[in-house]
Amino acid sequence: MTTPATAPAAPWDPGLLAVYRTSYLDLVRLAVVIGADRAVAEELVQDAFVAVHRTWDRVRDPLPYLRQTVVNRCRSWGRRQTLERERRPRAAEPADLVADELWDALARLPERQREAIVCRFYLDLPDAEIAVILDCRVPTVRTAIHRGLAKLREEVPR
Amino acid sequence: MTDLLETDLRAVLARHAASVTADAPAGEVAVAARLDAGDAGLAEVMALTDRTHRRRWLAAAAAIVLGGVAIGAGIAGQARDRQVDTSEERPDEALRGAFEAEGSPAGVAALYVMDRLGIEAPDLVVRQE
């Protein structure tokens, strides 16, 4: 019989578990609209919770920290996928989502512009909070949004 | 003033986000299992897997079945401590009841993952004894 050195500890900090239960789906959705594949989005968010758990004692405001972690992990995953994406057409969306040139154009934006636009127009965050999530300065956020919108206007005239 | 592009952006992002569903309880268990496995256990099972969703589930189960981590080793010990008769037809149900009664998320998580992956509790208990 293998005897554990210590009794199994309750793995979840109760505070983090509460955050998980209120924000898991929202974070998965954030990962998807940033550009992660759906199956991967859940895994990336789980990774984020595991990572945040390690530093939980030092986390004062978990949601921005989790969002930042999710965005970072999406970015890392996206970079690994870049070559593959260039060689392969984008995976078909489910039938209930019609082909959407704006969604496709958004996916083609440089990552920082796409992330900034998602934070602004999906999360409705102010520039200062977006800057925290993207780990950059507020003027950089404004520039990214401005340039991203300009590119979208070029590609998808309204 | 909000222009048409911004309005459409909000709509398209909201529509795609709303189409996303996630198995939150399953994710909760997966995170719990990984937390319980610890860095060493996680590194061990990660070495066996790649980064796909399904295989991450298997990694969680592997962490349990390997017995090198607290959650796996703890199952058999807790079955013994709780005097659960592992010769019963469904010892996992008896164990689950015992874990739930005392609020042991690690134990419940282990059984949940095992159940999802079709791992039999008796196999695990025998393996540990």
Side-chain angles (χ1 to χ4, degrees), chain A residues 1-2 4 8-12 17 20-21 24-25 28-29 32-33 38-39 42-44 46-47 49-50 53-54 80 93 97 100 102-103 106 117-118 120-122 124 149 152-153 158, chain B residues 3-6 8-10 12-13 15-24 27-28 30-32 34-36 39 42 51-53 56 67 70 73-74 76-78 80 105-106 128-129:
Chain A
M1 163 84 200
T2 304
W12 279 98
L17 181 58
Y20 174 93
R21 288 177 175 167
Y24 180 72
L25 179 56
V28 172
R29 287 174 167 169
V32 169
V33 294
R38 292 171 190 224
E42 281 201 70
E43 184 183 319
L44 294 178
Q46 291 170 20
D47 283 346
F49 274 96
V50 171
H53 192 275
R54 295 197 178 104
R80 287 196 300 272
E93 296 291 349
L97 288 177
D100 188 325
L102 182 54
W103 175 254
L106 187 64
I117 283 176
V118 166
R120 164 64 58 78
F121 296 105
Y122 174 64
D124 274 326
L149 289 175
L152 291 176
R153 285 194 179 92
R158 286 301 199 255
Chain B
D3 67 17
L4 188 57
L5 176 65
E6 294 182 10
D8 286 353
L9 260 179
R10 290 183 194 280
V12 75
L13 288 168
R15 189 173 74 247
H16 278 268
S19 72
V20 175
T21 57
D23 188 346
E28 186 176 320
V31 174
R34 289 168 56 191
L35 292 175
D36 230 350
D39 289 342
L42 188 59
R51 293 177 59 83
T52 67
H53 192 61
R56 181 58 61 82
Q78 292 191 38
R80 182 192 57 206
Q128 295 294 324
E129 287 175 338

Side-chain angles (χ1 to χ4, degrees), chain A residues 29-78:
Chain A
R29 287 174 167 169
L30 173 63
V32 169
V33 294
I34 284 178
D37 286 353
R38 292 171 190 224
V40 172
E42 281 201 70
E43 184 183 319
L44 294 178
V45 173
Q46 291 170 20
D47 283 346
F49 274 96
V50 171
V52 169
H53 192 275
R54 295 197 178 104
T55 56
W56 182 241
D57 290 344
R58 303 193 297 275
V59 177
R60 283 182 295 179
D61 193 1
L63 190 54
Y65 188 49
L66 279 162
R67 283 172 171 165
Q68 182 183 47
T69 306
V70 168
V71 169
N72 284 340
R73 284 166 192 272
C74 286
R75 190 180 297 161
S76 299
W77 176 83

Side-chain angles (χ1 to χ4, degrees), chain B:
Chain B
M1 177 178 166
T2 303
D3 67 17
L4 188 57
L5 176 65
E6 294 182 10
T7 302
D8 286 353
L9 260 179
R10 290 183 194 280
V12 75
L13 288 168
R15 189 173 74 247
H16 278 268
S19 72
V20 175
T21 57
D23 188 346
E28 186 176 320
V29 171
V31 174
R34 289 168 56 191
L35 292 175
D36 230 350
D39 289 342
L42 188 59
E44 187 175 1
V45 294
M46 285 299 288
L48 305 174
T49 63
D50 62 21
R51 293 177 59 83
T52 67
H53 192 61
R54 190 176 68 82
R55 290 190 178 185
R56 181 58 61 82
W57 269 99
L58 291 173
I64 297 165
V65 176
L66 281 172
V69 294
I71 194 168
I75 288 282
Q78 292 191 38
R80 182 192 57 206
D81 294 345
R82 282 154 190 74
Q83 298 182 328
V84 172
D85 183 358
T86 55
S87 66
E88 287 181 3
E89 187 176 352
R90 291 301 304 268
D92 52 327
E93 289 298 332
L95 272 168
R96 189 190 304 272
F99 288 137
E100 287 175 345
E102 69 174 30
S104 169
V108 175
L111 290 169
Y112 187 98
V113 173
M114 290 161 60
D115 187 50
R116 288 285 295 254
L117 293 166
I119 298 169
E120 295 291 334
D123 292 346
L124 183 60
V125 173
V126 168
R127 194 182 295 250
Q128 295 294 324
E129 287 175 338

